[in-house]
Amino acid sequence: CPGKISMNISRSGYRVFAANSSGVCTELAKKITERLGVELGKSVVYQESNSETRVDVKESVRGQDIFIIQTIPRDVNTAIMELLVMAYALKTSCAKNIIGVIPYFPYSKQCKMRKRGSIVCKLLASMLAKAGLTHLITMDLHQKEIQGFFTFPVDNLRASPYLIQYIQEEIPDYRNAIIVAKSPSAAKRAQSYAERLRLGLAVIHGEAQHSESDMADGRQSPPLSRTTSGHPGLELPLMMAKEKPPISVVGDVGGRIAIIVDDIIDDVEDFVAAAEILKERGAYKIYIMATHGLLSAEAPRLIEESAIDEVVVTNTVPHEVQKLQCPKIRTVDVSMILAEAIRRIHNGESMSYLFRNIAVDD
């Protein structure tokens, strides 16, 4: 029966949609669809005059695999709402699978419990599942443990092969470089880069020493009395106050190219301070390699005025405006690996090829 055959063909198809209302954010979606050789799905995403998000899907999606590409602009909350509304619209239109392609996962820094706070990242994972997502493709999650917040599969792709390729091809004399972690917590990522590039490793530790008038965080205040508001007989041991040592560099950077690696570059004060220290210690060129270039607020101006020679980020987050403000910012395209992930998931192929030479700890 010809009708039966055509129905099977449509069932085995897939569509790629962009959930952004702003044109700048659909650039990555266009690159991915070009690589896949498919057309971007017909949909309209817009904000009404009262700022409510509205999504109209303009084609049939019944029984198909649907991939929603969502790049996160500065207005992160609108982008999340666009994604949720589109996923729910596709769910109620009987899409077979709804796979979110969210290269930079928002709120990923809020993935740990703070005093009287909340783990917003977990809340967002629950909302996406409720809206209808059945799978997630993302890149360089801030903490790998975030994958455990989801009730559906998560493929956490890596940008490091592209950034390592950039180091090898675009940094002259990269053999004289040293990989730098700007804090001990970033040492594991830096170690991974250093081992794959067969370079040395340096770690920046401590903090800049301020005058006493600047120390407003209570570190210099007298210790609390041992009285507690609980049981009168209960005496808890006092917590020792933390005191970070003066800033120091573990590892020799003298006469070397310093390459600072991290997953997100947003507030750049830490990076600028690290660059100053490395310059003082004799590094003659300073590069920053990061997956997600959020570069908020005054970041482009601060980079331009700093000792940093080049900032290399991927196109997971749109940053064209920042590039116009600061010529030191360079972009690496990662649309190839995202397109390959979409193709493999749709065809039911193994994803392990995309993770070759990447250890569990990376």
Side-chain angles (χ1 to χ4, degrees):
C1 170
K4 198 170 185 180
I5 293 164
S6 63
M7 193 173 79
N8 286 341
I9 290 166
S10 69
R11 274 188 182 282
S12 67
Y14 72 100
R15 292 273 186 280
V16 180
F17 286 89
N20 278 111
S21 53
S22 61
V24 177
C25 296
T26 55
E27 289 301 314
L28 183 62
K30 285 172 186 167
K31 282 185 178 175
I32 290 169
T33 49
E34 277 172 22
R35 289 185 184 278
L36 288 167
V38 299
E39 283 187 19
L40 204 57
K42 294 178 181 67
S43 64
V44 181
V45 182
Y46 60 98
Q47 314 304 313
E48 291 191 359
S49 53
N50 63 351
S51 297
E52 286 184 5
T53 299
R54 187 175 285 273
V55 173
D56 292 326
V57 179
K58 300 289 190 183
E59 56 186 282
S60 173
V61 296
R62 186 176 293 272
Q64 296 193 355
D65 288 340
I66 306 297
F67 293 86
I68 310 174
I69 299 170
Q70 182 69 327
T71 45
I72 306 295
R74 288 191 176 189
D75 188 359
V76 59
N77 296 327
T78 300
I80 290 167
M81 205 62 207
E82 287 169 349
L83 178 64
L84 292 168
V85 174
M86 179 168 267
Y88 195 61
L90 293 165
K91 181 184 180 181
T92 50
S93 301
C94 300
K96 183 183 170 190
N97 292 306
I98 302 167
I99 301 103
V101 184
I102 313 168
Y104 165 63
F105 195 79
Y107 285 98
S108 58
K109 281 192 171 181
Q110 296 191 46
C111 62
K112 288 191 172 82
M113 192 63 184
R114 296 276 180 254
K115 188 177 180 181
R116 285 188 285 278
S118 65
I119 305 172
V120 184
C121 200
K122 173 78 170 79
L123 171 66
L124 185 51
S126 305
M127 287 162 70
L128 289 170
K130 198 74 179 168
L133 249 64
T134 58
H135 198 129
L136 178 69
I137 301 171
T138 187
M139 185 168 268
D140 283 333
L141 283 171
H142 187 57
Q143 300 284 344
K144 289 187 296 299
E145 291 76 11
I146 290 171
Q147 291 178 74
F149 293 163
F150 294 87
T151 53
F152 49 78
V154 177
D155 285 305
N156 180 25
L157 304 175
R158 305 295 199 276
S160 56
Y162 290 90
L163 296 173
I164 285 168
Q165 186 180 11
Y166 184 95
I167 292 169
Q168 291 172 324
E169 293 177 1
E170 302 294 331
I171 298 180
D173 196 24
Y174 85 92
R175 287 277 171 217
N176 189 37
I178 187 163
I179 304 296
V180 180
K182 72 173 174 59
S183 65
S185 59
K188 190 171 271 189
R189 183 182 302 273
Q191 182 188 354
S192 166
Y193 275 75
E195 286 174 357
R196 279 187 274 175
L197 285 161
R198 293 163 179 79
L199 297 175
L201 179 66
V203 180
I204 297 173
H205 176 51
E207 66 178 359
Q209 297 298 293
H210 301 284
S211 63
E212 279 188 34
S213 59
D214 294 336
M215 299 297 274
D217 60 357
R219 238 180 280 182
Q220 308 299 323
S221 56
L224 296 168
S225 64
R226 294 186 73 89
T227 56
T228 61
S229 56
H231 191 275
L234 185 69
E235 281 198 359
L236 296 174
L238 280 173
M239 292 287 282
M240 290 294 290
K242 272 188 186 178
E243 193 162 322
K244 284 192 176 179
I247 203 155
S248 63
V249 180
V250 182
D252 182 21
V253 296
R256 301 282 194 90
I257 299 167
I259 303 173
I260 302 172
V261 298
D262 215 332
D263 62 328
I264 298 170
I265 177 165
D266 189 5
D267 300 323
V268 296
E269 282 90 347
D270 287 355
F271 291 95
V272 170
E276 291 289 330
I277 293 292
L278 294 168
K279 266 273 191 271
E280 283 174 24
R281 299 291 193 281
Y284 69 91
K285 230 173 183 192
I286 294 156
Y287 289 81
I288 292 171
M289 318 293 292
T291 306
H292 309 296
L294 306 186
L295 301 163
S296 304
E298 293 291 294
R301 182 183 61 80
L302 293 171
I303 291 166
E304 190 61 29
E305 294 170 0
S306 72
I308 299 163
D309 291 285
E310 204 167 281
V311 174
V312 183
V313 293
T314 72
N315 58 343
T316 55
V317 178
H319 53 269
E320 292 307 311
V321 175
Q322 290 91 323
K323 281 181 82 172
L324 292 172
Q325 294 171 317
C326 176
K328 290 181 180 180
I329 299 167
R330 301 274 188 275
T331 311
V332 173
D333 181 23
V334 291
S335 61
M336 174 69 87
I337 195 167
L338 292 165
E340 183 62 12
I342 289 171
R343 192 191 67 75
R344 282 174 176 268
I345 285 170
H346 172 65
N347 292 336
E349 295 176 25
S350 167
M351 295 287 281
S352 61
Y353 177 77
L354 302 180
F355 296 97
R356 65 197 186 283
N357 300 330
I358 291 173
V360 178
D361 292 335
D362 284 8

